């Protein structure tokens, strides 16, 4: 890169799929704006994982402190690293930004942060530059955070035995969402460290120059229309799976040739995202259901969890099953053999499944998972939640049979094909996502 026309500081929330989703957006922007330098600030661990040897002319990774004490050993408390990291902000990012400015020789003219990093608002204001926030989850989860205060006061006033099943009908587009679907930290678990940060985020996002989403408008028109009245600019620019090919890790385990051997839409692909592993009893129940169903399966499961599978399961199903520690998920879902996704309902997985028209069985665990799976089952009708709420042998078997069935299964498959078609249209020329991306390019282009 010869001349740098402007310099954008990108700040990642270094957990789960957040940094890779942000890097996907930045790669797309960097390709369309070759003279703009993007300094990508995240922790060393996260940068190592997502850049993994990839080099870009105008994206430079910078490591910032994770806030953990020297020699810290993870002992199972997932909140600890998040809390330590949040405490280290914004100082760690300020230091990283100074380093990036010194190296580029150009001052930062815009902040592009994960929306979770709401300090971006004040930081950008102090620097006199725009703040662009990237929301990695679905529009309905964004809506919940924007409406946290009205939700808290309305829900606080409800005094009935069936409170958990009451819906959020007082928020546009959310009439099917129940109180029990809300992420922790909205009306309960307020003590969680991230709860306070997300409340602040909901209050700060209206000040952002733009809020960018990996979604597309037509999937949630009412919610997006409402968000547009509360935020300065809402730019849905996805689904990323259809807009820009990400450098997927190689198919080291041979998932794709294995899928080639199976009939169309016959395989269940099982994945619970980047960090979550279901409890041992649920892993065992899921394996039992898969075995009883007779369905071919491809399972992305960390090595250390395999000991929880029932004895002999792997051997008994070896002719129709494959277990890998990581699958090239985009290519897997795009493969014609895959007919079902069994998921924790992380937003990226859901949107990828929509992008390739694979109906879902949802076992939500935490955060936005319950909201996402409610949308899948009751709004878009492109999958089901497990009837027992958790993975049991009978409930999972029933869900698999339903998805494969000629009646309900066919209906779900038809619905998801329609959604897929609207997603393809959104990213096509003149589509809503394509136009929103152009607006984002203009904002980026005007930063100097
Ligand atoms: C958090 O979700 P996760 O990162 O755990 O899960 P997803 O949003 O579904 O994203 C998983 C990504 O990892 C990829 C897959 C998705 O892009 O294609 N992947 C893969 O390539 N191979 C594998 O074997 C397994 C996964 C959080 F937990 C959720 O609640 C949020 O909705 C989400 C987004 O904010 O982040």
């Amino acid at each position: 890169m010869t001349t740098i026309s402007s310099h954008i500081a990108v700040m990642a929330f270094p957990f789960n799929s957040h940094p890779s989703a942000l890097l996907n957006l930045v790669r797309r922007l960097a390709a369309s704006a070759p003279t703009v330098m993007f300094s990508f600030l995240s922790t060393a661990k996260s940068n190592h994982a997502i850049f993994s040897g990839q080099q870009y002319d105008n994206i430079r990774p910078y490591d910032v402190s994770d806030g953990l004490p020297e020699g810290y050993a993870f002992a199972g408390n997932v909140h600890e690293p998040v809390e330590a990291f949040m405490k280290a902000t914004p100082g760690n990012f300020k230091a990283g930004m100074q380093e990036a400015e010194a190296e580029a020789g150009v001052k930062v003219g815009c902040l592009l942060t994960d929306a979770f990093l709401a300090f971006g608002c004040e930081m950008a204001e102090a620097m006199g530059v725009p703040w662009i926030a990237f929301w990695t989850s679905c529009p309905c989860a964004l809506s919940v955070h924007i409406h946290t205060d009205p939700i808290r006061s309305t829900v606080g006033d409800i005094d009935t035995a069936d409170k958990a099943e009451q819906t959020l009908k007082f928020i546009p587009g959310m009439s099917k969402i129940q109180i029990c679907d809300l992420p922790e930290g909205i009306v309960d678990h307020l003590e969680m460290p991230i709860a306070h940060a997300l409340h602040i985020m909901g209050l700060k996002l209206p000040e952002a120059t733009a809020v960018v989403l990996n979604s597309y408008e037509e999937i949630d028109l009412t919610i997006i229309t409402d968000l547009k009245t509360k935020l300065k600019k809402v730019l849905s620019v996805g689904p990323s799976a259809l807009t820009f090919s990400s450098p997927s890790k190689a198919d080291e385990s041979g998932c794709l040739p294995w899928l080639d051997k199976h009939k169309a839409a016959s395989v269940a692909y099982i994945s619970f995202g980047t960090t979550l592993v279901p409890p041992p009893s649920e892993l065992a129940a899921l394996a039992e259901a898969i075995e009883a169903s007779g369905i071919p399966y491809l399972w992305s499961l960390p090595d250390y969890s395999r000991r929880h599978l029932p004895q002999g399961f792997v051997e008994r199903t070896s002719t129709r099953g494959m277990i890998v520690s990581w699958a090239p998920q985009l290519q897997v879902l795009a493969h014609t053999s895959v007919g079902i996704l069994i998921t924790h309902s992380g937003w990226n997985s859901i949107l990828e499944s929509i992008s390739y028209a694979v109906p879902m069985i949802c076992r939500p665990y935490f955060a936005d998972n319950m909201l996402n799976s409610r949308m899948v089952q009751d709004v878009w009708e492109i999958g089901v939640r497990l009837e027992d709420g958790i993975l049991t042998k009978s409930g999972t078997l029933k869900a698999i049979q339903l998805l494969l069935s000629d009646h309900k299964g066919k209906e779900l498959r038809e619905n998801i094909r329609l959604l897929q078609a609207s997603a393809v249209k959104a990213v096509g020329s003149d589509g809503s996502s394509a136009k929103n991306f152009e607006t984002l390019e203009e904002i980026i282009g005007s930063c100097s």
Side-chain angles (χ1 to χ4, degrees), residues 271-304:
S271 164
F272 296 99
T274 46
T275 41
L276 189 134
V277 181
S281 59
E282 290 196 53
L283 283 177
L286 173 55
E288 284 169 12
I290 289 287
E291 187 168 358
S293 71
I295 194 171
Y297 68 90
L298 172 62
W299 194 336
S300 169
L301 182 69
D303 293 345
Y304 61 83

PDB file of all heavy atoms in Angstrom, residues 271-304:
ATOM      1  N   SER A 271     -23.767 -28.573  15.216  1.00  0.00           N
ATOM      2  CA  SER A 271     -22.718 -27.642  15.646  1.00  0.00           C
ATOM      3  C   SER A 271     -23.296 -26.692  16.686  1.00  0.00           C
ATOM      4  O   SER A 271     -24.407 -26.183  16.533  1.00  0.00           O
ATOM      5  CB  SER A 271     -22.219 -26.836  14.441  1.00  0.00           C
ATOM      6  OG  SER A 271     -21.495 -25.715  14.891  1.00  0.00           O
ATOM      7  N   PHE A 272     -22.530 -26.475  17.747  1.00  0.00           N
ATOM      8  CA  PHE A 272     -22.980 -25.555  18.798  1.00  0.00           C
ATOM      9  C   PHE A 272     -22.089 -24.320  18.879  1.00  0.00           C
ATOM     10  O   PHE A 272     -21.840 -23.792  19.960  1.00  0.00           O
ATOM     11  CB  PHE A 272     -23.058 -26.304  20.139  1.00  0.00           C
ATOM     12  CG  PHE A 272     -24.093 -27.404  20.126  1.00  0.00           C
ATOM     13  CD1 PHE A 272     -23.725 -28.723  19.917  1.00  0.00           C
ATOM     14  CD2 PHE A 272     -25.437 -27.116  20.272  1.00  0.00           C
ATOM     15  CE1 PHE A 272     -24.674 -29.739  19.874  1.00  0.00           C
ATOM     16  CE2 PHE A 272     -26.397 -28.115  20.225  1.00  0.00           C
ATOM     17  CZ  PHE A 272     -26.028 -29.432  20.027  1.00  0.00           C
ATOM     18  N   GLY A 273     -21.585 -23.900  17.715  1.00  0.00           N
ATOM     19  CA  GLY A 273     -20.873 -22.625  17.652  1.00  0.00           C
ATOM     20  C   GLY A 273     -19.419 -22.709  18.057  1.00  0.00           C
ATOM     21  O   GLY A 273     -18.809 -23.780  18.022  1.00  0.00           O
ATOM     22  N   THR A 274     -18.894 -21.562  18.484  1.00  0.00           N
ATOM     23  CA  THR A 274     -17.450 -21.473  18.684  1.00  0.00           C
ATOM     24  C   THR A 274     -16.976 -21.909  20.067  1.00  0.00           C
ATOM     25  O   THR A 274     -15.831 -22.327  20.216  1.00  0.00           O
ATOM     26  CB  THR A 274     -16.977 -20.021  18.463  1.00  0.00           C
ATOM     27  OG1 THR A 274     -17.853 -19.154  19.160  1.00  0.00           O
ATOM     28  CG2 THR A 274     -16.977 -19.652  16.997  1.00  0.00           C
ATOM     29  N   THR A 275     -17.813 -21.795  21.079  1.00  0.00           N
ATOM     30  CA  THR A 275     -17.291 -22.111  22.424  1.00  0.00           C
ATOM     31  C   THR A 275     -18.188 -23.044  23.247  1.00  0.00           C
ATOM     32  O   THR A 275     -17.719 -23.694  24.166  1.00  0.00           O
ATOM     33  CB  THR A 275     -17.109 -20.818  23.264  1.00  0.00           C
ATOM     34  OG1 THR A 275     -18.227 -19.968  23.026  1.00  0.00           O
ATOM     35  CG2 THR A 275     -15.836 -20.098  22.899  1.00  0.00           C
ATOM     36  N   LEU A 276     -19.466 -23.082  22.916  1.00  0.00           N
ATOM     37  CA  LEU A 276     -20.392 -23.807  23.782  1.00  0.00           C
ATOM     38  C   LEU A 276     -20.322 -25.326  23.574  1.00  0.00           C
ATOM     39  O   LEU A 276     -20.247 -25.792  22.445  1.00  0.00           O
ATOM     40  CB  LEU A 276     -21.813 -23.338  23.459  1.00  0.00           C
ATOM     41  CG  LEU A 276     -22.858 -23.836  24.427  1.00  0.00           C
ATOM     42  CD1 LEU A 276     -23.757 -22.692  24.820  1.00  0.00           C
ATOM     43  CD2 LEU A 276     -23.697 -24.963  23.852  1.00  0.00           C
ATOM     44  N   VAL A 277     -20.338 -26.050  24.679  1.00  0.00           N
ATOM     45  CA  VAL A 277     -20.461 -27.509  24.581  1.00  0.00           C
ATOM     46  C   VAL A 277     -21.618 -27.922  25.493  1.00  0.00           C
ATOM     47  O   VAL A 277     -21.629 -27.582  26.683  1.00  0.00           O
ATOM     48  CB  VAL A 277     -19.173 -28.234  25.036  1.00  0.00           C
ATOM     49  CG1 VAL A 277     -19.349 -29.737  24.903  1.00  0.00           C
ATOM     50  CG2 VAL A 277     -17.986 -27.786  24.209  1.00  0.00           C
ATOM     51  N   PRO A 278     -22.622 -28.618  24.961  1.00  0.00           N
ATOM     52  CA  PRO A 278     -23.753 -29.019  25.811  1.00  0.00           C
ATOM     53  C   PRO A 278     -23.280 -29.901  26.967  1.00  0.00           C
ATOM     54  O   PRO A 278     -22.243 -30.568  26.854  1.00  0.00           O
ATOM     55  CB  PRO A 278     -24.632 -29.836  24.850  1.00  0.00           C
ATOM     56  CG  PRO A 278     -24.249 -29.391  23.487  1.00  0.00           C
ATOM     57  CD  PRO A 278     -22.796 -29.029  23.566  1.00  0.00           C
ATOM     58  N   PRO A 279     -24.035 -29.916  28.064  1.00  0.00           N
ATOM     59  CA  PRO A 279     -23.644 -30.770  29.185  1.00  0.00           C
ATOM     60  C   PRO A 279     -23.598 -32.245  28.772  1.00  0.00           C
ATOM     61  O   PRO A 279     -24.297 -32.646  27.833  1.00  0.00           O
ATOM     62  CB  PRO A 279     -24.737 -30.526  30.230  1.00  0.00           C
ATOM     63  CG  PRO A 279     -25.783 -29.708  29.563  1.00  0.00           C
ATOM     64  CD  PRO A 279     -25.240 -29.143  28.303  1.00  0.00           C
ATOM     65  N   PRO A 280     -22.777 -33.050  29.468  1.00  0.00           N
ATOM     66  CA  PRO A 280     -22.598 -34.454  29.087  1.00  0.00           C
ATOM     67  C   PRO A 280     -23.910 -35.216  28.890  1.00  0.00           C
ATOM     68  O   PRO A 280     -24.056 -35.983  27.942  1.00  0.00           O
ATOM     69  CB  PRO A 280     -21.804 -35.036  30.257  1.00  0.00           C
ATOM     70  CG  PRO A 280     -21.053 -33.870  30.802  1.00  0.00           C
ATOM     71  CD  PRO A 280     -21.923 -32.669  30.584  1.00  0.00           C
ATOM     72  N   SER A 281     -24.890 -35.002  29.776  1.00  0.00           N
ATOM     73  CA  SER A 281     -26.142 -35.761  29.657  1.00  0.00           C
ATOM     74  C   SER A 281     -26.852 -35.435  28.337  1.00  0.00           C
ATOM     75  O   SER A 281     -27.474 -36.293  27.710  1.00  0.00           O
ATOM     76  CB  SER A 281     -27.062 -35.440  30.835  1.00  0.00           C
ATOM     77  OG  SER A 281     -27.314 -34.051  30.839  1.00  0.00           O
ATOM     78  N   GLU A 282     -26.762 -34.171  27.898  1.00  0.00           N
ATOM     79  CA  GLU A 282     -27.423 -33.788  26.642  1.00  0.00           C
ATOM     80  C   GLU A 282     -26.660 -34.308  25.426  1.00  0.00           C
ATOM     81  O   GLU A 282     -27.261 -34.684  24.421  1.00  0.00           O
ATOM     82  CB  GLU A 282     -27.571 -32.265  26.564  1.00  0.00           C
ATOM     83  CG  GLU A 282     -28.584 -31.729  27.553  1.00  0.00           C
ATOM     84  CD  GLU A 282     -29.009 -30.310  27.219  1.00  0.00           C
ATOM     85  OE1 GLU A 282     -29.415 -30.047  26.082  1.00  0.00           O
ATOM     86  OE2 GLU A 282     -28.908 -29.451  28.118  1.00  0.00           O
ATOM     87  N   LEU A 283     -25.326 -34.347  25.539  1.00  0.00           N
ATOM     88  CA  LEU A 283     -24.543 -34.905  24.430  1.00  0.00           C
ATOM     89  C   LEU A 283     -24.922 -36.371  24.239  1.00  0.00           C
ATOM     90  O   LEU A 283     -25.109 -36.853  23.114  1.00  0.00           O
ATOM     91  CB  LEU A 283     -23.043 -34.812  24.737  1.00  0.00           C
ATOM     92  CG  LEU A 283     -22.397 -33.437  24.575  1.00  0.00           C
ATOM     93  CD1 LEU A 283     -20.939 -33.488  24.986  1.00  0.00           C
ATOM     94  CD2 LEU A 283     -22.522 -32.945  23.138  1.00  0.00           C
ATOM     95  N   ALA A 284     -25.051 -37.080  25.362  1.00  0.00           N
ATOM     96  CA  ALA A 284     -25.396 -38.506  25.295  1.00  0.00           C
ATOM     97  C   ALA A 284     -26.798 -38.676  24.709  1.00  0.00           C
ATOM     98  O   ALA A 284     -27.022 -39.533  23.837  1.00  0.00           O
ATOM     99  CB  ALA A 284     -25.314 -39.120  26.687  1.00  0.00           C
ATOM    100  N   ALA A 285     -27.744 -37.845  25.140  1.00  0.00           N
ATOM    101  CA  ALA A 285     -29.124 -37.954  24.635  1.00  0.00           C
ATOM    102  C   ALA A 285     -29.178 -37.655  23.140  1.00  0.00           C
ATOM    103  O   ALA A 285     -29.886 -38.335  22.377  1.00  0.00           O
ATOM    104  CB  ALA A 285     -30.022 -36.987  25.401  1.00  0.00           C
ATOM    105  N   LEU A 286     -28.417 -36.664  22.714  1.00  0.00           N
ATOM    106  CA  LEU A 286     -28.392 -36.311  21.294  1.00  0.00           C
ATOM    107  C   LEU A 286     -27.838 -37.484  20.477  1.00  0.00           C
ATOM    108  O   LEU A 286     -28.390 -37.856  19.428  1.00  0.00           O
ATOM    109  CB  LEU A 286     -27.539 -35.052  21.095  1.00  0.00           C
ATOM    110  CG  LEU A 286     -27.252 -34.601  19.671  1.00  0.00           C
ATOM    111  CD1 LEU A 286     -28.537 -34.411  18.868  1.00  0.00           C
ATOM    112  CD2 LEU A 286     -26.462 -33.288  19.660  1.00  0.00           C
ATOM    113  N   ALA A 287     -26.765 -38.086  20.973  1.00  0.00           N
ATOM    114  CA  ALA A 287     -26.182 -39.234  20.264  1.00  0.00           C
ATOM    115  C   ALA A 287     -27.198 -40.372  20.183  1.00  0.00           C
ATOM    116  O   ALA A 287     -27.358 -41.018  19.131  1.00  0.00           O
ATOM    117  CB  ALA A 287     -24.918 -39.695  20.980  1.00  0.00           C
ATOM    118  N   GLU A 288     -27.907 -40.616  21.268  1.00  0.00           N
ATOM    119  CA  GLU A 288     -28.913 -41.703  21.262  1.00  0.00           C
ATOM    120  C   GLU A 288     -30.005 -41.421  20.235  1.00  0.00           C
ATOM    121  O   GLU A 288     -30.452 -42.322  19.526  1.00  0.00           O
ATOM    122  CB  GLU A 288     -29.527 -41.852  22.662  1.00  0.00           C
ATOM    123  CG  GLU A 288     -28.588 -42.546  23.637  1.00  0.00           C
ATOM    124  CD  GLU A 288     -29.082 -42.453  25.082  1.00  0.00           C
ATOM    125  OE1 GLU A 288     -30.241 -42.052  25.306  1.00  0.00           O
ATOM    126  OE2 GLU A 288     -28.278 -42.769  25.984  1.00  0.00           O
ATOM    127  N   ALA A 289     -30.433 -40.164  20.169  1.00  0.00           N
ATOM    128  CA  ALA A 289     -31.487 -39.803  19.206  1.00  0.00           C
ATOM    129  C   ALA A 289     -30.983 -39.969  17.777  1.00  0.00           C
ATOM    130  O   ALA A 289     -31.701 -40.492  16.910  1.00  0.00           O
ATOM    131  CB  ALA A 289     -31.932 -38.361  19.438  1.00  0.00           C
ATOM    132  N   ILE A 290     -29.755 -39.538  17.534  1.00  0.00           N
ATOM    133  CA  ILE A 290     -29.170 -39.664  16.193  1.00  0.00           C
ATOM    134  C   ILE A 290     -29.094 -41.147  15.812  1.00  0.00           C
ATOM    135  O   ILE A 290     -29.446 -41.545  14.702  1.00  0.00           O
ATOM    136  CB  ILE A 290     -27.747 -39.030  16.183  1.00  0.00           C
ATOM    137  CG1 ILE A 290     -27.844 -37.511  16.285  1.00  0.00           C
ATOM    138  CG2 ILE A 290     -26.946 -39.456  14.975  1.00  0.00           C
ATOM    139  CD1 ILE A 290     -28.322 -36.811  15.039  1.00  0.00           C
ATOM    140  N   GLU A 291     -28.666 -41.956  16.761  1.00  0.00           N
ATOM    141  CA  GLU A 291     -28.532 -43.394  16.472  1.00  0.00           C
ATOM    142  C   GLU A 291     -29.905 -44.015  16.188  1.00  0.00           C
ATOM    143  O   GLU A 291     -30.085 -44.730  15.206  1.00  0.00           O
ATOM    144  CB  GLU A 291     -27.864 -44.095  17.661  1.00  0.00           C
ATOM    145  CG  GLU A 291     -27.539 -45.539  17.341  1.00  0.00           C
ATOM    146  CD  GLU A 291     -26.623 -46.184  18.396  1.00  0.00           C
ATOM    147  OE1 GLU A 291     -26.213 -45.503  19.357  1.00  0.00           O
ATOM    148  OE2 GLU A 291     -26.350 -47.387  18.231  1.00  0.00           O
ATOM    149  N   ALA A 292     -30.882 -43.665  17.012  1.00  0.00           N
ATOM    150  CA  ALA A 292     -32.222 -44.243  16.828  1.00  0.00           C
ATOM    151  C   ALA A 292     -32.859 -43.771  15.522  1.00  0.00           C
ATOM    152  O   ALA A 292     -33.644 -44.497  14.903  1.00  0.00           O
ATOM    153  CB  ALA A 292     -33.105 -43.854  18.011  1.00  0.00           C
ATOM    154  N   SER A 293     -32.530 -42.563  15.092  1.00  0.00           N
ATOM    155  CA  SER A 293     -33.170 -42.019  13.879  1.00  0.00           C
ATOM    156  C   SER A 293     -32.637 -42.664  12.604  1.00  0.00           C
ATOM    157  O   SER A 293     -33.299 -42.668  11.576  1.00  0.00           O
ATOM    158  CB  SER A 293     -32.930 -40.506  13.785  1.00  0.00           C
ATOM    159  OG  SER A 293     -31.574 -40.248  13.470  1.00  0.00           O
ATOM    160  N   GLY A 294     -31.409 -43.162  12.683  1.00  0.00           N
ATOM    161  CA  GLY A 294     -30.803 -43.760  11.487  1.00  0.00           C
ATOM    162  C   GLY A 294     -30.278 -42.718  10.506  1.00  0.00           C
ATOM    163  O   GLY A 294     -29.817 -43.050   9.419  1.00  0.00           O
ATOM    164  N   ILE A 295     -30.320 -41.456  10.872  1.00  0.00           N
ATOM    165  CA  ILE A 295     -29.929 -40.376   9.946  1.00  0.00           C
ATOM    166  C   ILE A 295     -28.385 -40.280   9.858  1.00  0.00           C
ATOM    167  O   ILE A 295     -27.700 -40.414  10.876  1.00  0.00           O
ATOM    168  CB  ILE A 295     -30.540 -39.027  10.415  1.00  0.00           C
ATOM    169  CG1 ILE A 295     -30.451 -37.964   9.313  1.00  0.00           C
ATOM    170  CG2 ILE A 295     -29.871 -38.499  11.676  1.00  0.00           C
ATOM    171  CD1 ILE A 295     -31.225 -36.686   9.643  1.00  0.00           C
ATOM    172  N   PRO A 296     -27.841 -40.046   8.662  1.00  0.00           N
ATOM    173  CA  PRO A 296     -26.409 -39.772   8.583  1.00  0.00           C
ATOM    174  C   PRO A 296     -26.115 -38.436   9.276  1.00  0.00           C
ATOM    175  O   PRO A 296     -26.958 -37.538   9.246  1.00  0.00           O
ATOM    176  CB  PRO A 296     -26.124 -39.656   7.080  1.00  0.00           C
ATOM    177  CG  PRO A 296     -27.321 -40.219   6.396  1.00  0.00           C
ATOM    178  CD  PRO A 296     -28.476 -40.042   7.326  1.00  0.00           C
ATOM    179  N   TYR A 297     -24.950 -38.324   9.907  1.00  0.00           N
ATOM    180  CA  TYR A 297     -24.675 -37.080  10.637  1.00  0.00           C
ATOM    181  C   TYR A 297     -23.211 -36.655  10.491  1.00  0.00           C
ATOM    182  O   TYR A 297     -22.321 -37.481  10.330  1.00  0.00           O
ATOM    183  CB  TYR A 297     -25.019 -37.250  12.123  1.00  0.00           C
ATOM    184  CG  TYR A 297     -24.098 -38.203  12.849  1.00  0.00           C
ATOM    185  CD1 TYR A 297     -22.943 -37.754  13.471  1.00  0.00           C
ATOM    186  CD2 TYR A 297     -24.378 -39.573  12.887  1.00  0.00           C
ATOM    187  CE1 TYR A 297     -22.084 -38.635  14.104  1.00  0.00           C
ATOM    188  CE2 TYR A 297     -23.526 -40.461  13.513  1.00  0.00           C
ATOM    189  CZ  TYR A 297     -22.378 -39.987  14.124  1.00  0.00           C
ATOM    190  OH  TYR A 297     -21.512 -40.858  14.736  1.00  0.00           O
ATOM    191  N   LEU A 298     -23.032 -35.341  10.526  1.00  0.00           N
ATOM    192  CA  LEU A 298     -21.693 -34.746  10.590  1.00  0.00           C
ATOM    193  C   LEU A 298     -21.706 -33.862  11.819  1.00  0.00           C
ATOM    194  O   LEU A 298     -22.542 -32.956  11.933  1.00  0.00           O
ATOM    195  CB  LEU A 298     -21.435 -33.897   9.331  1.00  0.00           C
ATOM    196  CG  LEU A 298     -20.160 -33.047   9.339  1.00  0.00           C
ATOM    197  CD1 LEU A 298     -18.916 -33.907   9.451  1.00  0.00           C
ATOM    198  CD2 LEU A 298     -20.079 -32.204   8.061  1.00  0.00           C
ATOM    199  N   TRP A 299     -20.819 -34.138  12.771  1.00  0.00           N
ATOM    200  CA  TRP A 299     -20.888 -33.483  14.079  1.00  0.00           C
ATOM    201  C   TRP A 299     -19.587 -32.724  14.341  1.00  0.00           C
ATOM    202  O   TRP A 299     -18.515 -33.335  14.360  1.00  0.00           O
ATOM    203  CB  TRP A 299     -21.108 -34.566  15.150  1.00  0.00           C
ATOM    204  CG  TRP A 299     -21.530 -34.079  16.507  1.00  0.00           C
ATOM    205  CD1 TRP A 299     -21.325 -32.853  17.062  1.00  0.00           C
ATOM    206  CD2 TRP A 299     -22.236 -34.852  17.496  1.00  0.00           C
ATOM    207  NE1 TRP A 299     -21.863 -32.793  18.323  1.00  0.00           N
ATOM    208  CE2 TRP A 299     -22.427 -34.006  18.625  1.00  0.00           C
ATOM    209  CE3 TRP A 299     -22.730 -36.157  17.551  1.00  0.00           C
ATOM    210  CZ2 TRP A 299     -23.074 -34.437  19.784  1.00  0.00           C
ATOM    211  CZ3 TRP A 299     -23.369 -36.588  18.713  1.00  0.00           C
ATOM    212  CH2 TRP A 299     -23.542 -35.729  19.808  1.00  0.00           C
ATOM    213  N   SER A 300     -19.691 -31.420  14.530  1.00  0.00           N
ATOM    214  CA  SER A 300     -18.538 -30.617  14.928  1.00  0.00           C
ATOM    215  C   SER A 300     -18.494 -30.607  16.453  1.00  0.00           C
ATOM    216  O   SER A 300     -19.313 -29.965  17.106  1.00  0.00           O
ATOM    217  CB  SER A 300     -18.689 -29.186  14.387  1.00  0.00           C
ATOM    218  OG  SER A 300     -17.720 -28.349  14.963  1.00  0.00           O
ATOM    219  N   LEU A 301     -17.530 -31.352  17.002  1.00  0.00           N
ATOM    220  CA  LEU A 301     -17.491 -31.570  18.461  1.00  0.00           C
ATOM    221  C   LEU A 301     -16.034 -31.549  18.932  1.00  0.00           C
ATOM    222  O   LEU A 301     -15.211 -32.311  18.405  1.00  0.00           O
ATOM    223  CB  LEU A 301     -18.128 -32.937  18.765  1.00  0.00           C
ATOM    224  CG  LEU A 301     -18.255 -33.361  20.206  1.00  0.00           C
ATOM    225  CD1 LEU A 301     -19.283 -32.517  20.949  1.00  0.00           C
ATOM    226  CD2 LEU A 301     -18.665 -34.839  20.305  1.00  0.00           C
ATOM    227  N   PRO A 302     -15.709 -30.704  19.915  1.00  0.00           N
ATOM    228  CA  PRO A 302     -14.319 -30.684  20.389  1.00  0.00           C
ATOM    229  C   PRO A 302     -13.887 -32.061  20.892  1.00  0.00           C
ATOM    230  O   PRO A 302     -14.693 -32.794  21.495  1.00  0.00           O
ATOM    231  CB  PRO A 302     -14.354 -29.677  21.548  1.00  0.00           C
ATOM    232  CG  PRO A 302     -15.617 -28.921  21.415  1.00  0.00           C
ATOM    233  CD  PRO A 302     -16.574 -29.780  20.659  1.00  0.00           C
ATOM    234  N   ASP A 303     -12.615 -32.378  20.662  1.00  0.00           N
ATOM    235  CA  ASP A 303     -12.098 -33.710  21.032  1.00  0.00           C
ATOM    236  C   ASP A 303     -12.397 -34.072  22.488  1.00  0.00           C
ATOM    237  O   ASP A 303     -12.779 -35.199  22.785  1.00  0.00           O
ATOM    238  CB  ASP A 303     -10.579 -33.751  20.816  1.00  0.00           C
ATOM    239  CG  ASP A 303     -10.247 -33.648  19.342  1.00  0.00           C
ATOM    240  OD1 ASP A 303     -11.175 -33.837  18.524  1.00  0.00           O
ATOM    241  OD2 ASP A 303      -9.084 -33.344  19.017  1.00  0.00           O
ATOM    242  N   TYR A 304     -12.226 -33.078  23.401  1.00  0.00           N
ATOM    243  CA  TYR A 304     -12.363 -33.405  24.822  1.00  0.00           C
ATOM    244  C   TYR A 304     -13.787 -33.784  25.230  1.00  0.00           C
ATOM    245  O   TYR A 304     -14.009 -34.295  26.327  1.00  0.00           O
ATOM    246  CB  TYR A 304     -11.848 -32.245  25.704  1.00  0.00           C
ATOM    247  CG  TYR A 304     -12.594 -30.947  25.510  1.00  0.00           C
ATOM    248  CD1 TYR A 304     -13.807 -30.696  26.176  1.00  0.00           C
ATOM    249  CD2 TYR A 304     -12.113 -29.966  24.655  1.00  0.00           C
ATOM    250  CE1 TYR A 304     -14.488 -29.509  25.984  1.00  0.00           C
ATOM    251  CE2 TYR A 304     -12.794 -28.776  24.462  1.00  0.00           C
ATOM    252  CZ  TYR A 304     -13.981 -28.555  25.131  1.00  0.00           C
ATOM    253  OH  TYR A 304     -14.672 -27.389  24.938  1.00  0.00           O
TER     254      TYR A 304
END
